[in-house]
Amino acid sequence: MRPGRISKVLAAAAVVALSLAACTPTPPAPTETTAVPTAVDGGNLTVLESEPFTSFNPTSVTGNSLTNSRISSATHSGFSSVDSALNIVKNEQFGKYEKVKDDPLTIKYTINSGVQWSDGAPVTADDLFLEWAAASGYFNDATLDAKFAVKSGTAYFHSAGDNSGLARTAIPVISDDRASLTLSYTSQFSDWETALGSTVSVPAHIVAVRAGLKDAESLTTLLKSMEKGDPAKPAAVNPTLRKVADFWNTGFDTKGMPDPTLALSNGPFLVNGITADKELILTRNLDYTWGAAPKLDTLTVHYENDPDKQVAALEDQTADVISPAVTAERIAALTALQDKGVALQQGQGLGFDQVVLNFKGVLADPNLRSAFLHTVPRQEIVDQVAKPLDPKAEVLNSFVFRPAQIPYKESARSNGVDTYSVPAVDATATPAPDQAKELLDGAKPTVRILYNSGDPERVKEYSLIAAAATKAGFVVTDAGKGADQWLDSLKDGAFDVALYGWTSNPTGSVQVPQVFRTGGISNLNNFSNTVVDQLTEQLALNPDMAKQNALKMQIDRLVIEAGYGLPLFQRTALSASGQHATGVAYSPLALGPWQSVAQWAYVK
């Protein structure tokens, strides 16, 4: 069991949108429904988020939420970001990173002079060292049970990020001037460019003092003195490291405005005030010169979990920017507001819907898996669920590539998904596919179909799939759960068939093993294939894009051949802005409109 795994599993439980790898596609151009007006410098815009802010450390398990991540993106910076075309964009005003050598893979990070926290302390390599310590799982020596609870040893840092890359690294080396950190990998890692420092969000000097240490340098000295954790030989708990990790894990969690030292910024905005569960105020960071300077003086964040009320707030001008859950009705309602100055930012998102089969239980039989997949009316699902959101929507034919990626068409032609291309199912006339009936051979197996019954699109998907499967001879049990319950059932394996979505990782390939490797942290359906396991390990080691694509094509084929499930369609990404806002741009990323926050401006 690799150190740090507990944290990632807890993170998977905390976040509904899970990660599947993607390369670097170019999404279709966004749809802008109004012309860009003239803006003024300064002013305030009001943004609605669906859930309240709860933590200044969005990389911890307890702090890992969409709202926290969006606020962090506006208040912190780092060596790079990902743009709307899913390209890695370096921020050399913050600093630079460079590959020093290939064998061993060695990366040097250098922070520019003048980059600082909002209390005036410089951002240093000690901050990067703490980020590495938390994200790598290097010090954890816990052994976990089947439910990922600690049986023995210690899990210090509970990071919500993936540690499969940084787990391959040795203790970093810091330069004498504390400006540079050099990181050496014990084996090759294809996604090294985004493994560390994309955003530096936790100040080491604050964590150090809160844990009883003198300063950030003292914290780094402590970390460098520790041995690598070994679950086979767990060591006694180090009380000082325990204090450091505990504070990193939960010390930045808050519902109100905390001690200002816990709200430090190194980005374009500062958090200036929080009213618990009601409001958060961001103000422009006047000292920020190591990135694109914001145009607004302030941003006011309010919370509204009802998407229709978000639309109403945009209409009555009590909100300026929203990113509600997408339905055809909401798109129509927002489109109807164009004459009131509302603009839509719409395009393909990174999320996609899928049908996934459980390899334990009744569908352990490969013939039954194949029979069920032959009943899935993918075209009908696209016609009734996806096209009302996007008239150009098509059936998705790959688990690991998106249509905008060059390898997609080739993989779709060779992965065998066309075996399951069934015609639309008319519940009153069209017979079930003959292949399914032949494979069932008169059997009438019972299958439980799990889905989020609070999502109207998933309800439609379930209805179409259940009708088709019933025709073929399956006995379908509706195992739908509410929004606050279905994910627990998914993790517990309480399903035979599950309908849920992945959010593709914007760059790299490292998340593919998380989903398809035996025992992977996001392998929620007990899928296991020794060849796939070998290919996923090669994928993590090989930095050559062409070779990565070839490996992923093989994985795509093997997964579909095994009856893992079927991809359905890509989901639409949507935000909208009112007549007083400009510069709000489409983004396929989870950040949504916040990706363009530095360009937001107020229109009188």
Side-chain angles (χ1 to χ4, degrees), residues 126-127 130 157 202-223 240-241 243-248 252 261-262 264:
D126 296 295
D127 297 306
L130 177 59
F157 293 98
V202 176
H205 64 292
I206 299 301
V207 174
V209 171
R210 292 302 182 110
L213 297 168
K214 178 182 177 181
D215 52 25
E217 292 186 29
S218 301
L219 172 54
T220 299
T221 299
L222 168 70
L223 296 174
T240 307
L241 181 58
K243 289 180 181 179
V244 169
D246 284 348
F247 192 82
W248 189 94
F252 291 93
T261 62
L262 302 183
L264 296 185

Side-chain angles (χ1 to χ4, degrees), residues 175-233:
S175 62
D176 291 340
D177 62 1
R178 324 298 295 183
S180 296
L181 178 144
T182 301
L183 191 60
S184 296
Y185 287 78
T186 56
S187 62
Q188 289 295 316
F189 179 57
S190 59
D191 289 357
W192 63 265
E193 197 167 357
T194 55
L196 184 70
S198 294
T199 301
V200 181
S201 57
V202 176
H205 64 292
I206 299 301
V207 174
V209 171
R210 292 302 182 110
L213 297 168
K214 178 182 177 181
D215 52 25
E217 292 186 29
S218 301
L219 172 54
T220 299
T221 299
L222 168 70
L223 296 174
K224 290 173 70 174
S225 71
M226 296 287 297
E227 297 290 332
K228 180 178 175 64
D230 181 359
K233 299 177 181 178

